[in-house]
Amino acid sequence: MDAALHEEVQRDAFRLDVLQGLARPQKALPSRWLYDARGCELFERITTLPEYYPTRTETSILNEHAREIAEFCGPYANLLEYGAGAGVKTQIVVGALERPRSYVPIDIAGDS
């Protein structure tokens, strides 16, 4: 898809999300519209702060249980990751898998 068409599709999707979200009794907008390249960069920096514990906790859990996860998945697993971000935690799981077939990162920021 060329850049102009992609931009038009994104603009139409944004317009639809805004109209639908603001028409609801409780106003809402999908958070995907709040993330651009700079927003993603800032979020990655936030995840390294001492006050932001979720990333450290998730990383610790994955390090502790990577072998069990890999055994459960078996060889040739297809790994889909929602909220892939920078993929730091992904490396732990992919490294434990036996001959992974594919890895599909899905992130809220799309192609920002």
Side-chain angles (χ1 to χ4, degrees):
M1 176 182 310
D2 73 2
L5 179 57
H6 176 72
E7 187 176 319
E8 182 179 343
V9 167
Q10 289 298 308
R11 193 172 35 252
D12 289 346
F14 177 70
R15 183 180 299 114
L16 181 62
D17 281 345
V18 168
L19 291 173
Q20 288 177 341
L22 296 181
R24 298 173 59 182
Q26 184 172 350
K27 311 304 182 212
L29 292 173
S31 58
R32 75 183 184 118
W33 298 114
L34 306 176
Y35 286 82
D36 60 6
R38 178 70 176 138
C40 292
E41 178 186 321
L42 288 172
F43 181 73
E44 287 301 323
R45 289 179 53 200
I46 288 168
T47 65
T48 66
L49 295 174
E51 297 86 356
Y52 191 85
Y53 65 88
T55 300
R56 283 190 314 279
T57 303
E58 292 166 353
T59 301
S60 174
I61 291 168
L62 288 173
N63 278 320
E64 186 176 336
H65 298 285
R67 174 173 254 106
E68 295 168 57
I69 293 168
E71 288 173 8
F72 175 80
C73 293
Y76 307 109
N78 295 300
L79 177 61
L80 280 75
E81 181 183 17
Y82 293 98
V88 174
K89 293 175 284 182
T90 307
Q91 295 174 4
I92 298 167
V93 176
V94 170
L97 290 173
E98 183 182 345
R99 298 181 304 277
R101 181 173 301 165
S102 66
Y103 168 60
V104 181
I106 301 168
D107 197 70
I108 194 167
D111 57 3
S112 303

